[in-house]
Amino acid sequence: MKEKTIAIASSGLGHVARGIEAWAHDLGQALAERGLPVIVCKGGGEPQADYERVVRCWTRESPQAKNTLARLPRFLGWRLGMGNGYGVEQATYAWNLIKVLRKERVGLLHVQDPQVALYVQRARRLGWLKTKTILAHGTEEPLDFQRKITYLQHLAPWHLEESRAAGVWKPTWTAIPNFIDTSLFRPGQSPELRRELDIPPNALVVLVAAAIKRNHKRVDYLLDEFAALLQRRPDLPIYLVIAGGWEPETDELVAEGKRRLGDRVRFLVRFPRSRMPDLYRAADLFVLGSLKEMMPIALLEGAASGLPCLVHEHPVMAWMVGPGGKTIDMAASGALACELEQMAGCEGERRNLGSLAQQHCLQNFSREAVVDQILDYYGRVMNTPAKAEASAASEQACV
């Protein structure tokens, strides 16, 4: 790949804690450590490294974003990609990001914010800048949106095959997974954090790392299942720890969880990511309640930390955990409660599954292996002739 500046961008980095932001931070750091010319463009906070740039925007919870949503007709907002706070954030961020890309003569932009990718791609077609854009598709955009993107990185082979089967595919697309720093997220113990959380040393800790909301992450389902387990086995020394970012319904879920589970639940809202490795090491099991995922980094963190992982029986999550986890029907009431009860009584099985989870993660999702794949794709994108790019950009469907 030619020595041109690479930009990794995230409108939420610096003010939101999600998988997208973790991806941008980690990828930028990995590229910088390899000595590549990279800048990381974040939407808030302050620069923490010399390669970071702060690109200001109207953040999704800002008064400006709320006022825009209140004044903009709903049909027009959605048409412009600004139908919610996140959309306004992306639009204002993209406008200022384009200025940075022009100033720093960026050759390649890699982003997971879908509207940002679309805005910058359009700016290139209008001749405003020369930057090529790759969208790492982690936000479940519909096929009609995906077909607008010239360079698209699916995060799992299953997603790429799904688009191919639907007749929406381009020869400029690829499938490369997310990665995890396995030297940072690794097995171990964290008795100090258990004491800080006031959890007995002999207790079984079930960890959930996800945005604390009902839709998608289904934290309400997890509370239901844990409550059913405690009702059936009140003697079981098991605790539920839920760590995740704040959402509009978070406070309500926290209150509900404390009311139903009492001392057996701990909510860690906006828990610092720098402390997450210790949190995984303080746990015994990792659970994800969502029924579909693109490729959640939290699941990689749990597996790399040697935790047996319980997930829904979806092809992507089954592929991610491999032999180091169990897939169950989390759409069925009581399924998770039964599995937790069984796992609580099988320390040997937990230890074996945890070891297999770590090995599977090391082999398939380590930073070293995946970043090599990403760099290969960067070279392919940068070397795509203009004619081939124009053809891919104009394709509506290719099978």
Side-chain angles (χ1 to χ4, degrees):
M1 183 180 143
K2 297 179 181 178
E3 287 295 306
K4 290 186 177 180
T5 300
I6 304 162
I8 310 300
S10 167
S11 69
L13 186 58
H15 64 92
V16 177
R18 297 181 307 167
I20 290 178
E21 288 72 31
W23 168 85
H25 174 275
D26 292 353
L27 179 55
Q29 183 180 63
L31 296 178
E33 289 178 359
R34 291 197 179 201
L36 294 168
V38 63
I39 59 173
V40 174
C41 300
K42 55 199 294 186
E46 299 297 332
Q48 301 298 315
D50 58 6
Y51 55 81
E52 289 191 352
R53 309 287 186 271
V54 178
V55 179
R56 299 298 176 186
C57 58
W58 292 351
T59 61
R60 64 201 71 181
E61 297 295 332
S62 67
Q64 298 97 322
K66 293 178 180 178
N67 287 338
T68 299
L69 292 174
R71 296 180 179 183
L72 196 64
R74 187 172 177 82
F75 78 92
L76 182 59
W78 284 109
R79 185 175 180 83
L80 296 175
M82 294 190 290
N84 54 29
Y86 180 38
V88 174
E89 176 181 294
Q90 290 183 83
T92 56
Y93 176 81
W95 179 255
N96 290 322
L97 176 65
I98 289 170
K99 300 175 186 177
V100 174
L101 299 177
R102 285 170 55 90
K103 179 181 179 181
E104 306 226 12
R105 298 183 179 180
V106 170
L108 186 68
L109 169 68
H110 201 171
V111 63
Q112 281 204 30
D113 297 303
Q115 291 295 334
V116 172
L118 193 59
Y119 290 136
V120 178
Q121 181 177 273
R122 286 173 177 169
R124 172 178 166 82
R125 291 176 185 169
L126 291 170
W128 294 356
L129 75 175
K130 297 181 179 180
T131 307
K132 293 187 176 184
T133 301
I134 297 172
L135 172 64
H137 181 217
T139 52
E140 297 190 46
E141 302 307 313
L143 292 171
D144 282 346
F145 182 91
Q146 293 178 44
R147 72 201 311 163
K148 299 175 184 177
I149 304 298
T150 303
Y151 299 107
L152 191 145
Q153 172 199 349
H154 286 288
L155 300 178
W158 185 86
H159 295 308
L160 182 61
E161 292 308 313
E162 184 184 44
S163 66
R164 190 190 299 271
V168 180
W169 175 82
K170 298 176 188 290
T172 49
W173 290 4
T174 191
I176 303 173
N178 283 325
F179 66 87
I180 191 70
D181 184 349
T182 52
S183 67
L184 182 63
F185 291 91
R186 63 185 189 279
Q189 301 294 321
S190 186
E192 299 85 1
L193 185 50
R194 279 206 178 202
R195 286 195 294 269
E196 181 182 330
L197 298 177
D198 194 24
I199 295 176
N202 63 336
L204 184 75
V205 175
V206 178
L207 175 63
V208 176
I212 305 174
K213 59 182 183 178
R214 301 177 191 274
N215 184 40
H216 186 204
K217 299 302 181 181
R218 302 176 74 235
V219 171
D220 53 335
Y221 166 80
L222 300 175
L223 296 178
D224 288 343
E225 295 296 295
F226 212 80
L229 173 61
L230 291 179
Q231 185 176 15
R232 187 163 63 239
R233 290 288 307 277
D235 60 307
L236 201 60
I238 188 168
Y239 286 71
L240 178 64
V241 176
I242 302 177
W246 185 89
E247 300 283 338
E249 55 196 319
T250 296
D251 294 343
E252 179 184 343
L253 282 167
V254 170
E256 178 184 340
K258 291 180 177 179
R259 175 177 56 81
R260 299 181 65 187
L261 304 180
D263 186 54
R264 298 297 190 92
V265 66
R266 303 288 186 273
F267 285 95
L268 306 178
V269 182
R270 296 192 178 106
F271 194 70
R273 187 160 189 263
S274 60
R275 302 189 68 192
M276 286 302 293
D278 280 336
L279 183 59
Y280 285 101
R281 287 191 279 270
D284 300 289
L285 278 168
F286 182 81
V287 174
L288 192 63
S290 45
L291 300 181
K292 181 182 178 182
E293 289 281 0
M294 304 306 290
M295 195 190 179
I297 289 178
L299 185 52
L300 293 182
E301 293 172 346
S305 301
L307 296 181
C309 301
L310 303 183
V311 297
H312 180 61
E313 50 188 16
H314 185 274
V316 172
M317 289 182 280
W319 166 69
M320 290 178 67
V321 301
K326 288 191 174 183
T327 59
I328 60 178
D329 182 9
M330 290 198 188
S333 177
L336 178 58
C338 290
E339 191 61 51
L340 286 174
E341 183 177 10
Q342 178 181 337
M343 292 290 287
C346 300
E347 182 179 355
E349 182 182 18
R350 295 199 308 270
R351 188 181 300 112
N352 181 56
L353 285 174
S355 177
L356 292 172
Q358 186 204 16
Q359 293 173 27
H360 181 71
C361 196
L362 282 168
Q363 292 169 4
N364 296 280
F365 309 117
S366 67
R367 182 169 72 167
E368 292 73 19
V370 174
V371 171
D372 282 346
Q373 296 177 55
I374 291 173
L375 291 178
D376 286 344
Y377 186 50
Y378 286 177
R380 175 181 153 195
V381 169
M382 293 303 295
N383 291 319
T384 299
K387 185 175 181 180
E389 180 177 316
S391 175
S394 65
E395 288 172 355
Q396 291 302 300
C398 178
V399 293

